[in-house]
Amino acid sequence: MNKLANMRHWPERMSPNFGMSRANNMGMPAINPHHKVTPQGAPPITAPQPADGPIHYSFNVPFASDLAGPDTEDILHATAHAVLRWTHPEDAPDDIPVYELPVHAQNLAELRRLCKDITGSPLAIEAHVMSTTPKHIRGQVTTVCLSGSSEMVYQTRETILNDTPLSLRCTTVDVDGHLVANLNEGVLNKGVTDFLDELSEYCGVDIFLLGPKLTPVIDGLNGDVELRRDQRWRVAIYGDVLSSEHAKTRVLIHIDRLLGRIVDATKFDLSLQQILCGRNRKNIKVIESATNTAIYFPPPFSQAYRYCPPNAKRRDPQEVFITGENPQAIEQAKYKVHDILQRLRIFVKDVQIPAAKIDSILLSRMDKVKRIIETNGTYIMFPPLASRGTTVRVQAVENLHIERSVKELMALVGQFYTATWWISQPETRQLPSPHDIKTMLGDICANSDADVAFDKLNFTITGSDEAVKAALMVISKIKFVAHSQYQIRVKIELANEHKEFVSGKKNGKINKIMGQSSVQIMFDNFGEYNFNIDVLAQTYDSMKQGLSMVEQEMPASISFHVPDQYHKRIIGIGGQHIQRIMKKHSVFVKFSNAMDRGGMGREDDDSRVDNVICRTPARNAQNLELVKSEILEMVDRVDSEFTSQIVNVDRLYHRQLLARLPDIEELEKKWNCKIVFPSTEQASDEVTVTGPQWQVPMCVDAFLGMVPDRHEVVMERSPALVKFLESPEFSLNIVPKLKNQHEVEVTVHENSEERAEDGATTVTILWTFTRNNAGGLRDAMDFLQGQLATFGIEPILIKGAIPRPKSDTFEESLQYFDSKLLQHAPAPVSTDSPTKPSFGDEVARERSTIFDRLRKPGSMSSISSFLDRRKNSSHSATNSFFKGSSNVSKSSLISIESTRSFNAGRDPWNDSGVNLADEENPWSATRAQGSNGNDHNLTVPQPGDATPRHNTRQSADSGRPSTSHSTNSGYPGPLSGPFR
């Protein structure tokens, strides 16, 4: 750690050979900050200085042109012009692409008009728009090419990005049908439709009211998955990120009003809101549970985006809405909020990030930034989009949380590369014209998704790692570039702690790469957190091979949680156990305890953070899982690998569960799990249970025991049935048995609205149970059916029957044999069961014709026909006992051929931390270029075998970040074949 601290005082530019003697550098000439040469003795790489002229800058506009509108059969109401904007005309062909929807075509036309106005203005700037549909990219790609002075180009880019609706999305809110419609009369409430119309105009979004959908539900200890028709309707909101969030919050507030709750608001600074919420919104959950209120915060990054739809109004970023049962509850919530604010002690830290990388994060990584903010309870303030600002401010109540947030943020920064392609001696006859330059830059952007600038015969490329490599591949195929002399430089940003890991002992790894691939590698710009690895080459093939080798040496890591009490057992006396594991798999393992994480007595969240880190070079990444499995074998079953399971509970019932927060905390302590509710603004039904793999199902079962459920069975009324239900035998014997043996309570009542097809009266049996006992409902109904048969009663079921599960015998094949001895299974009966429904062909037909009478989307003339057809059935599917873990981190590295370490025989605790098995000629050109990366089979390597590849995996502590299109953090894998 002392070495890392001293790095900050080194010269601004230095190479890994700094301070080395010529005798120890494997025959390579020494490289110093003042005289840089390539391994072959070529002249130093310097940027040529042609005459000044206009620059050309090209970038993609993220329109989200692959966002499709809703199914027209589901639309019950639509705001003004929403149907025309988000659906194709009736005479449109079936194979018409999504990007030709009127809304996407309109956005593209407005962008063309804006660029045309900019070009025709007195300013010395030209803006041109190009739209293409690359084969390897889904949807349409829109590219803008700007030409003019540097200052005008960046100002124009800022104007375009802030005047254009970027990253359109659809956000959905579930709402009970009885709140928005009169189910008896079959018409929508006019107050609701008027509110949606006004909200659409106020926020600048398109809103649809849609019918119910099929949703998967996981019930009980066995984790069975059911597909049931959700009884709730949906409000779908289409718009840009801020406008859609604004409209979604106001829809949620209006639903609270319909439920009889009172709405109020308070204001305080945006920078304090996330800090007030606390880690994982713990403080707000406590306030909401104590006061029975709901608190709605604005998005934490609203200051970074300045776009607002025409004639719409933005949400005040300082305004926080509160809804409650009565004014006293709201006032109590306000008092608790301001009490916390008065006791806050804020720590602030500013970090410098390149402007291009800030824009890339704002356009493509804000979901990860939001996760960092919520996990650490910090506030991260970015400069406005495209403003060329470089300072990012982080605020928190503790320096520890600031450091965690900054490190995770800087890891995101490392996911983006910067490359420069200098053309030193071009062929004069082949120099492109300004029109050719615009076309060339448009092709590069469309096929790579990177931002490309062309200035003084120099290309500057910025973007994600994959985008930059793809752009370099496209540039290498341009004729005038290929026929000229050029030099290429790629900058990779990496955490300071990984410097010696990548360079190796005495910089052996870097020297070997430079000698084998004819590239020059320098470590540059050491900051407080990150440094740059500069890879320089004079040919594209050398750059491709050298960059691939450098990426193979980048750290691949996984992190997971092991309770602190097992660390000594795993490490062993003198570290013998863990050293044996590290030497066996060539993986470095590091443990951290509570003291390392900031001392004892902190929040419970600190006891569940990943405290074991396994790290190895990317070429050895397949061994990470083997090390993890060996370590976890030494952990008791009850504390085994941490995993997560998602439980679906109606979001409105979350408030009642939060009111029982002490009971939930007892469950967490009993099962060593963490139950996390979604934020109020998310309006999500998903509750996440995290804990040891063997404990999570038990905790889920106990948690579902706090969630009530019900099921109705409607039968035709008959004298015999009524006599049975009113008999003492039913009330004194059968009902207690159902409660004691099946955990189901039964009540009988009459509903005058429920009628048989012939108009006969009915009797309704209401079954009440908790979600963890939903599996006993079928057995309870079978028991009651047997009792009815004993008394000679054959009930006529109208609604609510549960079909028996499909037999696993050869019964379905018996239809081909004519035999009177064989009985055929009765056809399944349609059901409204909320526990074990079974959607079959009948429901599929119902689904396709449910809105057949709805001639015009948005019309409610025939909604009564939809409400009358309330048959409900589903197909029960079975899932695995343990669900996939979302919090147990894995590496996302794709390793290629395993290569030996440059310093074989080192101790595993040395600077790079690993020793890999020997191989012959590990850096051959055919080995670096021959792999196509298509083999993803994970096999156990044999001595001398090539390292097997494996699928991408998540990494929570990888210093090497993910690919540009990946949702996980990790390493994209080495270059194989052409850059893609």
Side-chain angles (χ1 to χ4, degrees):
M1 296 303 295
N2 293 333
K3 292 182 179 180
L4 295 179
N6 294 334
M7 290 179 186
R8 304 169 188 170
H9 308 291
W10 290 3
E12 181 181 1
R13 178 182 297 273
M14 62 177 299
S15 75
N17 289 352
F18 179 77
M20 291 177 55
S21 64
R22 185 179 299 271
N24 295 330
N25 63 1
M26 304 179 66
M28 302 278 298
I31 303 174
N32 59 60
H34 307 289
H35 177 69
K36 306 182 182 69
V37 295
T38 60
Q40 287 71 28
I45 297 179
T46 58
Q49 300 293 332
D52 292 338
I55 72 169
H56 304 272
Y57 191 95
S58 183
F59 61 96
N60 290 337
V61 180
F63 270 136
S65 59
D66 58 343
L67 178 62
D71 190 342
T72 55
E73 295 181 352
D74 291 344
I75 300 175
L76 304 181
H77 176 78
T79 56
H81 309 297
V83 173
L84 296 178
R85 285 164 49 84
W86 287 99
T87 60
H88 291 296
E90 294 183 359
D91 56 350
D94 295 337
D95 58 347
I96 186 170
V98 173
Y99 61 80
E100 291 190 10
L101 281 172
V103 61
H104 300 312
Q106 179 184 354
N107 290 335
L108 180 58
E110 291 178 353
L111 177 62
R112 293 185 185 277
R113 178 188 55 77
L114 175 61
C115 291
K116 184 177 180 181
D117 294 342
I118 293 174
T119 304
S121 65
L123 301 175
I125 186 73
E126 293 184 6
H128 300 275
V129 180
M130 292 164 282
S131 296
T132 55
T133 55
K135 294 181 179 179
H136 64 284
I137 297 178
R138 178 184 177 186
Q140 187 181 51
V141 178
T142 301
T143 306
V144 175
C145 186
L146 306 175
S147 302
S149 64
S150 176
E151 187 67 23
M152 289 302 304
V153 162
Y154 288 115
Q155 289 183 3
T156 303
R157 177 176 179 267
E158 181 180 5
T159 300
I160 292 175
L161 290 180
N162 286 282
D163 290 350
T164 305
L166 305 177
S167 303
L168 295 178
R169 63 187 62 194
C170 173
T171 180
T172 305
V173 177
D174 294 325
V175 56
D176 289 336
H178 67 86
L179 294 177
V180 297
N182 188 328
L183 301 181
N184 295 329
E185 298 180 4
V187 294
L188 286 177
N189 295 335
K190 188 176 186 302
V192 173
T193 57
D194 292 344
F195 166 77
L196 295 180
D197 294 338
E198 294 173 2
L199 182 64
S200 172
E201 184 177 357
Y202 183 82
C203 297
V205 296
D206 295 314
I207 304 178
F208 298 89
L209 181 60
L210 308 178
K213 64 174 181 179
L214 300 180
T215 56
V217 177
I218 302 175
D219 278 332
L221 182 62
N222 56 5
D224 286 345
V225 175
E226 308 167 352
L227 283 178
R228 64 173 66 171
R229 182 184 293 281
D230 198 330
Q231 297 301 313
R232 296 172 298 175
W233 295 7
R234 295 165 291 159
V235 178
I237 305 169
Y238 288 79
D240 63 275
V241 57
L242 287 186
S243 301
S244 59
E245 286 296 326
H246 184 193
K248 179 180 181 180
T249 300
R250 294 196 173 270
V251 168
L252 294 174
I253 293 173
H254 189 74
I255 293 175
D256 284 350
R257 280 199 179 102
L258 296 176
L259 293 172
R261 298 171 73 90
I262 302 173
V263 181
D264 201 348
T266 184
K267 288 188 177 182
F268 53 93
D269 192 78
L270 177 65
S271 62
L272 300 177
Q273 294 175 8
Q274 295 301 317
I275 300 176
L276 165 71
C277 291
R279 300 182 61 189
N280 296 316
R281 299 178 63 93
K282 182 176 181 179
N283 295 341
I284 289 301
K285 292 302 180 186
V286 172
I287 295 176
E288 290 178 334
S289 64
T291 60
N292 193 20
T293 57
I295 304 177
Y296 299 91
F297 289 90
F301 43 82
S302 56
Q303 85 290 341
Y305 302 95
R306 291 180 290 185
Y307 172 78
C308 183
N311 303 321
K313 294 184 180 180
R314 288 173 58 102
R315 178 179 178 179
D316 185 351
Q318 297 185 354
E319 189 173 29
V320 177
F321 296 103
I322 305 176
T323 66
E325 298 288 347
N326 49 62
Q328 292 77 16
I330 295 178
E331 289 301 322
Q332 186 180 7
K334 285 184 179 180
Y335 173 79
K336 291 181 177 293
V337 166
H338 289 285
D339 182 59
I340 295 178
L341 289 176
Q342 290 177 357
R343 293 185 285 106
L344 285 180
R345 185 179 59 173
I346 305 299
F347 293 85
V348 180
K349 186 166 190 177
D350 292 341
V351 292
Q352 300 297 318
I353 299 177
K357 295 188 178 183
I358 289 179
D359 291 345
S360 298
I361 291 176
L362 290 175
L363 292 174
S364 60
R365 296 291 192 274
M366 286 312 295
D367 55 339
K368 295 186 178 180
V369 174
K370 188 174 181 181
R371 192 177 303 119
I372 294 173
I373 290 174
E374 293 181 350
T375 301
N376 298 292
T378 55
Y379 171 71
I380 302 178
M381 183 177 69
F382 288 92
L385 177 64
S387 63
R388 306 297 295 170
T390 60
T391 301
V392 176
R393 172 162 294 182
V394 184
Q395 296 182 186
V397 295
E398 291 187 27
N399 280 324
L400 175 64
H401 299 159
I402 289 181
E403 291 299 319
R404 287 177 178 175
S405 300
V406 173
K407 287 183 179 180
E408 293 181 35
L409 180 63
M410 299 305 284
L412 283 182
V413 172
Q415 298 182 12
F416 303 97
Y417 286 3
T418 301
T420 307
W421 191 304
W422 293 306
I423 301 176
S424 55
Q425 297 181 9
E427 289 286 342
T428 307
R429 294 172 298 177
Q430 295 184 355
L431 289 179
S433 64
H435 180 269
D436 294 335
I437 292 175
K438 297 168 188 174
T439 304
M440 173 181 64
L441 295 184
D443 290 340
I444 297 173
C445 280
N447 289 278
S448 67
D449 197 29
D451 292 358
V452 183
F454 187 73
D455 180 21
K456 302 175 184 178
L457 296 179
N458 299 332
F459 291 94
T460 302
I461 307 110
T462 58
S464 63
D465 45 9
E466 292 294 329
V468 169
K469 290 185 287 188
L472 291 175
M473 182 194 68
V474 177
I475 293 175
S476 68
K477 296 181 180 180
I478 300 176
K479 290 185 178 180
F480 95 93
V481 175
H483 295 167
S484 305
Q485 290 188 7
Y486 56 82
Q487 296 157 342
I488 311 173
R489 173 178 180 175
V490 178
K491 298 176 74 70
I492 305 173
E493 196 162 350
L494 191 63
N496 288 335
E497 61 186 86
H498 302 313
K499 183 263 176 186
E500 295 184 1
F501 188 96
V502 175
S503 62
K505 187 176 182 181
K506 296 183 179 180
N507 300 303
K509 295 182 181 180
I510 296 301
N511 290 335
K512 190 78 170 184
I513 293 174
M514 290 194 294
Q516 293 290 335
S517 60
S518 301
V519 297
Q520 181 179 349
I521 301 174
M522 297 183 298
F523 291 171
D524 182 25
N525 293 340
F526 283 87
E528 185 177 0
Y529 297 96
N530 287 4
F531 72 100
N532 289 325
I533 302 176
D534 287 358
V535 184
L536 304 99
Q538 293 184 336
T539 63
Y540 169 72
D541 291 335
S542 297
M543 169 58 66
K544 176 182 173 182
Q545 183 182 6
L547 186 60
S548 172
M549 293 179 179
V550 171
E551 288 183 326
Q552 291 182 58
E553 295 301 334
M554 302 289 275
S557 65
I558 60 174
S559 59
F560 50 94
H561 178 80
V562 172
D564 291 354
Q565 64 265 26
Y566 296 99
H567 289 189
K568 290 184 179 180
R569 177 195 303 181
I570 297 171
I571 295 173
I573 300 175
Q576 58 180 357
H577 290 171
I578 196 64
Q579 287 191 29
R580 176 185 58 80
I581 295 175
M582 290 194 295
K583 290 178 181 179
K584 176 181 177 182
H585 299 285
S586 299
V587 173
F588 174 75
V589 182
K590 178 182 178 182
F591 293 85
S592 65
N593 54 30
M595 295 298 293
D596 299 331
R597 297 192 297 270
M600 301 295 291
R602 294 189 174 273
E603 301 177 28
D604 292 338
D605 297 335
D606 281 331
S607 65
R608 294 177 173 86
V609 298
D610 293 342
N611 55 9
V612 181
I613 301 174
C614 305
R615 185 174 293 126
T616 189
R619 50 199 165 93
N620 190 47
Q622 81 285 346
N623 283 346
L624 290 172
E625 283 297 321
L626 301 178
V627 172
K628 178 180 176 180
S629 62
E630 282 202 31
I631 290 177
L632 292 178
E633 284 178 358
M634 290 182 269
V635 178
D636 293 343
R637 179 171 177 172
V638 294
D639 296 315
S640 59
E641 178 179 351
F642 271 48
T643 185
S644 293
Q645 183 171 331
I646 293 177
V647 182
N648 285 286
V649 179
D650 190 334
R651 66 175 184 84
L652 293 178
Y653 194 73
H654 291 182
R655 299 168 182 174
Q656 301 181 41
L657 291 173
L658 287 174
R660 303 173 61 184
L661 202 57
D663 296 336
I664 294 177
E665 291 178 351
E666 288 184 7
L667 286 182
E668 292 178 335
K669 293 179 181 179
K670 179 179 180 181
W671 301 108
N672 191 25
C673 292
K674 191 72 176 177
I675 301 175
V676 180
F677 289 86
S679 63
T680 311
E681 303 86 17
Q682 284 182 286
S684 173
D685 294 338
E686 296 182 349
V687 178
T688 304
V689 181
T690 304
Q693 185 178 21
W694 297 95
Q695 302 285 77
V696 166
M698 311 294 184
C699 185
V700 169
D701 184 72
F703 175 70
L704 289 177
M706 304 170 63
V707 182
D709 205 344
R710 53 183 290 174
H711 176 64
E712 288 186 354
V713 176
V714 181
M715 296 182 289
E716 186 173 325
R717 184 183 181 93
S718 65
L721 177 62
V722 173
K723 182 179 179 180
F724 171 78
L725 296 177
E726 294 178 350
S727 65
E729 173 69 17
F730 176 78
S731 58
L732 299 178
N733 189 12
I734 297 178
V735 172
K737 281 186 177 180
L738 291 173
K739 175 62 178 176
N740 297 331
Q741 297 179 9
H742 303 284
E743 299 291 339
V744 178
E745 294 184 359
V746 177
T747 57
V748 181
H749 60 92
E750 296 184 7
N751 188 352
S752 58
E753 298 178 359
E754 294 286 357
R755 295 278 181 173
E757 294 182 358
D758 56 358
T761 57
T762 60
V763 174
T764 300
I765 299 180
L766 180 62
W767 308 76
T768 306
F769 49 92
T770 55
R771 283 274 300 277
N772 62 328
N773 294 316
L777 177 62
R778 183 192 306 274
D779 297 333
M781 294 181 65
D782 290 343
F783 174 78
L784 181 59
Q785 180 73 22
Q787 293 297 319
L788 291 173
T790 302
F791 284 84
I793 302 173
E794 295 183 4
I796 301 176
L797 294 178
I798 298 177
K799 187 180 68 173
I802 299 181
R804 70 184 181 93
K806 186 177 180 180
S807 173
D808 58 354
T809 65
F810 299 99
E811 180 180 291
E812 58 184 14
S813 64
L814 299 181
Q815 56 180 313
Y816 304 104
F817 301 92
D818 187 12
S819 174
K820 296 181 179 179
L821 299 177
L822 299 176
Q823 297 181 355
H824 298 282
V829 184
S830 61
T831 176
D832 282 338
S833 170
T835 54
K836 300 289 181 185
S838 177
F839 276 90
D841 296 337
E842 179 182 354
V843 177
R845 291 193 300 270
E846 177 189 349
R847 181 72 178 167
S848 63
T849 62
I850 197 168
F851 300 124
D852 281 348
R853 298 186 185 181
L854 210 59
R855 298 288 183 261
K856 177 182 178 182
S859 170
M860 287 295 298
S861 59
S862 302
I863 188 60
S864 58
S865 62
F866 156 63
L867 296 173
D868 289 342
R869 307 190 61 184
R870 299 176 61 188
K871 294 183 180 179
N872 193 7
S873 57
S874 74
H875 184 69
S876 176
T878 303
N879 202 355
S880 60
F881 184 80
F882 296 112
K883 304 301 176 293
S885 170
S886 63
N887 75 317
V888 179
S889 48
K890 300 179 181 178
S891 165
S892 65
L893 302 169
I894 305 175
S895 61
I896 64 170
E897 274 68 336
S898 176
T899 56
R900 65 178 175 87
S901 174
F902 299 117
N903 300 279
R906 293 196 310 271
D907 185 86
W909 296 90
N910 64 7
D911 50 355
S912 78
V914 294
N915 293 312
L916 301 183
D918 290 343
E919 280 189 15
E920 296 181 359
N921 193 16
W923 296 114
S924 63
T926 56
R927 183 177 294 258
Q929 300 176 4
S931 173
N932 57 12
N934 292 329
D935 183 11
H936 297 287
N937 295 325
L938 179 59
T939 57
V940 179
Q942 301 297 327
D945 287 354
T947 301
R949 302 171 184 84
H950 59 86
N951 295 329
T952 56
R953 294 175 289 182
Q954 183 181 1
S955 173
D957 189 50
S958 176
R960 177 69 184 88
S962 71
T963 60
S964 57
H965 54 274
S966 174
T967 58
N968 297 328
S969 63
Y971 176 64
L975 283 148
S976 302
F979 288 172
R980 47 186 175 80

